[in-house]
Amino acid sequence: MTDDRAAPTFVVGLGCQRGCPVSTLRALLDQALQAHRIELEAVKALASIDLKRDEPGLQELASQLALPLLYFSSDELANYQQRLSHHSQIAYERTGCYGVAESAALALAEQLIQAPAKLLISRQKYAQATLALAGAA
């Protein structure tokens, strides 16, 4: 009996400082996926906090990759606080949540798969950006 389920749904959560260039975000993404042997095609969407809605680097990355970019409020992201691998006081002071990349990845993964998600790549930091990847648990 074959398993006809679709390929796994992976989503990438991103956090970045204001003005972070798309090249930095792309380098972090490529590096993380390569290190974990995940194909870029497996990534179905990007997520961040709504405070970054007007961040050109994030928008450009989504455009380059032809992926949807969804945003969550700090209240929505705060629901994932207990599941984060890292709690950043600076992130909390600036955004109201302890980790944008991980919580955004979890929030979007659970929204897309309608089931619990888990972090498959915990918080990676590079220059002005952070990244995490979540998928089905």
Side-chain angles (χ1 to χ4, degrees), residues 66-118:
L67 289 173
L69 171 58
L70 287 88
Y71 300 94
F72 295 89
S73 70
S74 59
D75 286 345
E76 289 171 305
L77 297 182
N79 294 326
Y80 296 90
Q81 180 178 328
Q82 301 306 317
R83 294 166 60 188
L84 303 181
S85 72
H86 176 88
H87 288 81
S88 167
Q89 191 60 39
I90 292 170
Y92 184 77
E93 288 165 12
R94 292 184 181 160
T95 67
C97 70
Y98 283 102
V100 170
E102 288 187 345
S103 47
L106 287 166
L108 182 54
E110 291 189 350
Q111 182 177 304
L112 293 178
I113 62 179
Q114 296 291 299
K118 70 175 182 180

Side-chain angles (χ1 to χ4, degrees), residues 4-131:
D4 291 328
R5 287 183 304 175
T9 299
F10 295 136
V11 300
V12 170
L14 295 160
C16 65
Q17 294 173 11
R18 282 269 168 242
C20 178
V22 68
S23 58
T24 297
L25 293 165
R26 184 63 193 259
L28 176 58
L29 176 63
D30 290 344
Q31 181 184 319
L33 293 178
Q34 190 175 9
H36 291 83
R37 293 184 174 83
I38 294 171
E39 295 293 323
L40 183 58
E41 293 72 39
V43 176
K44 302 302 181 209
L46 307 176
S48 193
I49 191 167
D50 59 6
L51 297 170
K52 298 292 179 190
R53 195 178 295 277
D54 60 351
E55 195 58 49
L58 288 173
Q59 294 171 350
E60 178 64 23
L61 182 66
S63 176
Q64 277 182 18
L65 301 173
L67 289 173
L69 171 58
L70 287 88
Y71 300 94
F72 295 89
S73 70
S74 59
D75 286 345
E76 289 171 305
L77 297 182
N79 294 326
Y80 296 90
Q81 180 178 328
Q82 301 306 317
R83 294 166 60 188
L84 303 181
S85 72
H86 176 88
H87 288 81
S88 167
Q89 191 60 39
I90 292 170
Y92 184 77
E93 288 165 12
R94 292 184 181 160
T95 67
C97 70
Y98 283 102
V100 170
E102 288 187 345
S103 47
L106 287 166
L108 182 54
E110 291 189 350
Q111 182 177 304
L112 293 178
I113 62 179
Q114 296 291 299
K118 70 175 182 180
L119 287 172
L120 303 170
I121 300 177
S122 60
R123 178 183 179 269
Q124 308 284 306
K125 186 162 179 12
Y126 174 80
Q128 307 155 283
T130 56
L131 171 147

